[in-house]
Amino acid sequence: MRFTYRGLEATLTRHTVTPEEVDRQLQRLLQQTPRITPVIGRPTQSGDEVVLDYAGFCDGVQFPGGTAEKQTLVLGSGTFIPGFEEQLLDKDPGDQVIVKVTFPEAYHAPELAGKEAEFRCVIHEIRIKEAYQLDDTFAKEVGQCDSLEQMRQKMTESMQAYIDERAEMDLQDRLLRQAAATLDYTVDPEELEAAVQEQLRSLEGQLAQQGLSLEMYCSFMNTTVEALRKDAYPAAEAALRNFAAVDKIVELEQLSATEEEISQAIALICQQNGINAEQLKEYYSEEFEKALMRSIMTSKVMQLIRDAAVITIA
């Protein structure tokens, strides 16, 4: 079979966002976004959200982890140590309050378990959370729009842009896979094992962000780590085949990354991670630069294949 990456055929399926889909998104945003209103002229009461500073002390010594500034706390939520929130009731902004509590015997920090402590608190603000109505006020305060109609229009455009982008990414991915399927390629067993291991490490990292371990995930999903490993092989092999196809096209087309493309890729990484280019330098390594270049070249190859393909719009 001849390696083919030009003149491929594929269908781009377009979906037009409906008013009903926009309404559902607005309702989700409405439910997720309470209206926070400052309370003036009365002291705190149960259900209020207070903004406060606090510092915790045991035996007159400030202990680590017991200090915060501009912390928000809903009184009566039971978020803090038993007895803490009740002592902040009937207080006014500006009040300095000494909260005395006893840590539970089963407290997660053994050095504090069962000990008496005091928290020196300063209340800055009292607020209440209320539900928005789907109206112009909601559009102005949440959507930064002049009216609900304008917010609906902006949301429609945003949702449509996202759907179109996902459809285009899916199309380019399918085209790359189609090209890779024509490549004379035999997977290297060691590379395949490394790719499978990387997939499992990536899954572990995602789970860790949710406070889960791989073993816990397997228990929830009624599977095993070995079964996950076995299931990872086809995707890992497909990814390696795609990499090989990209490398071959880069060679055949004599593609390279320009300084501008590298700068744009770095800027995007910084934007996605909320850091600047100087901070990103801490993560520079041979592995990082290799991954960066692969990302750039893969994007160039996928665009080349896309531009040379015969696309049917559905």
Side-chain angles (χ1 to χ4, degrees):
M1 180 182 297
R2 185 170 64 88
F3 181 41
T4 304
Y5 58 91
R6 290 181 177 273
L8 301 175
E9 299 181 5
T11 299
L12 175 61
T13 303
R14 295 196 182 281
H15 170 74
T16 301
V17 174
T18 66
E20 292 75 19
E21 289 170 330
V22 175
D23 286 340
R24 286 196 291 271
Q25 184 63 21
L26 281 169
Q27 286 295 334
R28 280 194 287 268
L29 186 59
L30 187 69
Q31 294 168 9
Q32 295 168 0
T33 315
R35 188 181 191 189
I36 300 175
T37 306
V39 172
I40 307 296
R42 69 160 174 80
T44 56
Q45 60 187 34
S46 183
D48 287 346
E49 179 180 84
V50 295
V51 180
L52 75 159
D53 299 341
Y54 60 81
F57 294 79
C58 271
D59 300 323
V61 178
Q62 189 170 351
F63 56 84
T67 303
E69 293 183 353
K70 299 298 177 65
Q71 176 75 40
T72 58
L73 170 65
V74 176
L75 301 182
S77 64
T79 305
F80 280 22
I81 303 166
F84 188 105
E85 296 169 24
E86 292 84 345
Q87 296 177 60
L88 295 177
L89 295 173
D90 201 31
K91 300 295 186 292
D92 294 302
D95 282 356
Q96 299 184 27
V97 186
I98 303 296
V99 173
K100 296 184 177 182
V101 294
T102 301
F103 283 100
E105 293 290 344
Y107 194 62
H108 63 82
E111 68 276 10
L112 297 175
K115 286 192 173 183
E116 294 183 352
E118 68 173 35
F119 286 84
R120 301 169 189 176
C121 307
V122 178
I123 297 176
H124 293 292
E125 187 181 359
I126 308 171
R127 310 188 299 202
I128 56 172
K129 289 184 176 181
E130 302 173 306
Y132 274 104
Q133 299 298 313
L134 200 57
D135 55 18
D136 289 348
T137 298
F138 175 70
K140 291 174 182 177
E141 296 185 4
V142 177
Q144 285 77 54
C145 296
D146 293 333
S147 66
L148 181 61
E149 188 54 40
Q150 185 187 62
M151 184 178 182
R152 189 185 301 277
Q153 180 61 33
K154 286 182 65 176
M155 184 168 285
T156 300
E157 294 170 358
S158 177
M159 291 174 64
Q160 189 64 59
Y162 174 78
I163 288 173
D164 290 347
E165 181 182 6
R166 298 298 301 177
E168 178 63 28
M169 290 174 61
D170 175 69
L171 172 69
Q172 292 190 22
D173 182 67
R174 284 186 284 118
L175 286 169
L176 177 59
R177 290 175 181 272
Q178 190 176 334
T182 69
L183 181 68
D184 184 12
Y185 171 76
T186 301
V187 65
D188 180 277
E190 290 186 4
E191 288 186 351
L192 181 59
E193 287 298 329
V196 168
Q197 193 60 36
E198 179 57 34
Q199 283 197 31
L200 292 178
R201 279 198 298 268
S202 177
L203 176 59
E204 278 188 301
Q206 295 171 22
L207 292 171
Q209 293 179 353
Q210 304 172 44
L212 298 173
S213 66
L214 192 59
E215 290 70 22
M216 292 167 64
Y217 174 79
C218 289
S219 177
F220 295 150
M221 300 301 293
N222 194 27
T223 187
T224 63
V225 174
E226 190 53 42
L228 288 178
R229 181 186 300 278
K230 182 179 179 181
D231 292 342
Y233 277 94
E237 183 171 354
L240 289 174
R241 176 175 285 276
N242 284 352
F243 291 159
V246 168
D247 291 342
K248 187 65 175 177
I249 294 171
V250 167
E251 176 190 341
L252 294 172
E253 297 288 339
Q254 297 184 338
L255 300 178
S256 61
T258 65
E259 290 296 326
E260 182 180 1
E261 288 168 338
I262 294 173
S263 296
Q264 290 175 347
I266 290 175
L268 180 59
I269 292 172
C270 291
Q271 179 185 350
Q272 291 172 337
N273 292 277
I275 58 177
N276 57 42
E278 193 63 32
Q279 292 170 316
L280 183 62
K281 287 182 180 179
E282 297 179 22
Y283 303 96
Y284 275 29
S285 65
E286 183 178 343
E287 184 177 349
F288 171 83
E289 292 183 358
K290 182 179 178 181
L292 178 67
M293 292 303 297
R294 177 167 290 284
S295 174
I296 294 171
M297 300 314 296
T298 297
S299 295
K300 290 173 74 78
V301 164
M302 292 176 77
Q303 190 62 55
L304 184 152
I305 296 173
R306 166 68 165 91
D307 293 341
V310 178
I311 306 300
T312 301
I313 308 296

